[in-house]
Amino acid sequence: MEGAGNDFIVIDNRENKFPLEEIVNFTPTLCDRKFGIGADGLLVLEYPTIPEVDYTMLYRNADGSDAGMCGNGSRCLALFASQNGFKNKHSFNVHENIYKAEVFENEVSVHFPVQVSASKIEIDGEEFLKADAATEHVIKFVQGEALKDEKTLVETGKKIRMHKKMNPPGTNVNFVQVQNNNSIKVQTYERGVENLTLACGTGALASAVASHSYQQNPDTHSEYDVHVEGGLLKASFDYNPQNKIYTNLILKGPAHFVFKGIISV
């Protein structure tokens, strides 16, 4: 499946019952674009591990590491679930957090139960904003043609992702160009993929929150168009100016099936 170019292998593990150790072991092979299927990561639909949810989402980066939450992945899995016995409106958990999904005809939205703040952080003399939207993210605002210089973005992204100040567990690195009050362009260097991806859902949310803070936007509710290489994502949230906390984060965007098949593990 793919969501704005973020592509994933999806497994319904309710029947396969692969143990976690085996999933971790075969994920890098399946996600290898030369010797496997090829993907940014692996999505696994499990029987619920906590009460009050319809299913549990397990996500692994292409290298087998635990990414925690994956925004575009969750939207793809919600579409998959809606076509495999679950309602268009349903809930799921990633670790202890409970998310709510709504599947429309051509789009999927996921409500994030997290509180986010945007804080300045300096790394090797450069200023970034840190905004952890369900997983770790730093944001660098850029101008002009910087988003097209992918070689430099990868070099910078790798340096920051591996920087001792950010490890453990490392971070995702977003490069953001503000177009206007409610529109931004984003390129994301993703931890675990170790490269730029066509989209990053949690990165879109983090970048929108950071942009709101960067612009000193006073609006208590905002909706951002987040333009990524793979298409358009929409990020919305509420803002409390007293404590400068962002809540009610919602990520909305496209999700599609690409193909299905069988592979030996």
Side-chain angles (χ1 to χ4, degrees), residues 182 212 217-223 236-239 247-248 250:
N182 296 101
H212 183 277
N217 189 330
D219 294 346
T220 55
H221 177 78
S222 292
E223 298 180 6
S236 64
F237 47 78
D238 294 330
Y239 172 64
T247 58
N248 195 30
I250 299 174

Side-chain angles (χ1 to χ4, degrees), residues 197-219:
T197 55
L198 293 179
C200 176
T202 56
L205 285 173
S207 297
V209 164
S211 297
H212 183 277
S213 175
Y214 178 75
Q215 295 169 296
Q216 297 183 334
N217 189 330
D219 294 346

Side-chain angles (χ1 to χ4, degrees), residues 9 21-33 38-42 59-68 161-162 167 169-170 172 189-195:
I9 298 163
E21 183 180 2
E22 191 170 355
I23 291 171
V24 172
N25 288 339
F26 65 56
T27 293
T29 302
L30 295 187
C31 291
D32 190 294
R33 297 190 183 277
D40 291 329
L42 177 74
Y59 180 68
R60 289 281 151 173
N61 288 318
D63 63 0
S65 60
D66 183 4
R161 178 263 185 272
M162 301 299 296
N167 280 280
N172 300 283
Y189 182 94
E190 283 202 51
R191 174 186 63 190
V193 179
E194 308 309 334
N195 208 339

Side-chain angles (χ1 to χ4, degrees), residues 2 11 17 30 66 80 91 117 177 184 192 224 226 233 249 261 263:
E2 62 87 15
I11 295 175
K17 297 180 180 177
L30 295 187
D66 183 4
F80 178 86
S91 63
S117 60
Q177 186 177 70
I184 58 177
Y224 277 79
V226 183
L233 296 170
L249 277 69
I263 189 169

Side-chain angles (χ1 to χ4, degrees), residues 64-135:
S65 60
D66 183 4
M69 180 54 171
C70 175
N72 286 327
S74 72
R75 295 188 308 95
C76 286
L77 193 61
L79 175 59
F80 178 86
S82 74
Q83 298 196 13
N84 284 274
F86 297 92
K87 296 178 180 179
N88 284 345
K89 287 185 178 181
H90 60 257
S91 63
F92 61 92
N93 72 293
V94 179
H95 300 312
E96 299 305 313
N97 285 333
I98 297 176
Y99 298 82
K100 294 179 180 178
E102 187 169 3
V103 179
F104 304 94
E105 185 175 349
N106 296 311
E107 291 185 310
V108 180
S109 66
V110 172
H111 181 280
F112 284 61
V114 296
Q115 296 186 349
V116 182
S117 60
S119 57
K120 292 181 180 179
I121 181 172
E122 188 175 290
I123 305 173
D124 291 344
E126 286 190 86
E127 188 174 282
F128 295 78
L129 280 180
K130 183 171 175 58
D132 294 344
T135 190

Side-chain angles (χ1 to χ4, degrees), residues 142-154:
V142 298
Q143 308 294 328
E145 300 295 304
L147 287 183
K148 295 181 180 180
D149 185 1
E150 295 193 347
K151 181 181 178 181
T152 299
L153 296 183
V154 169

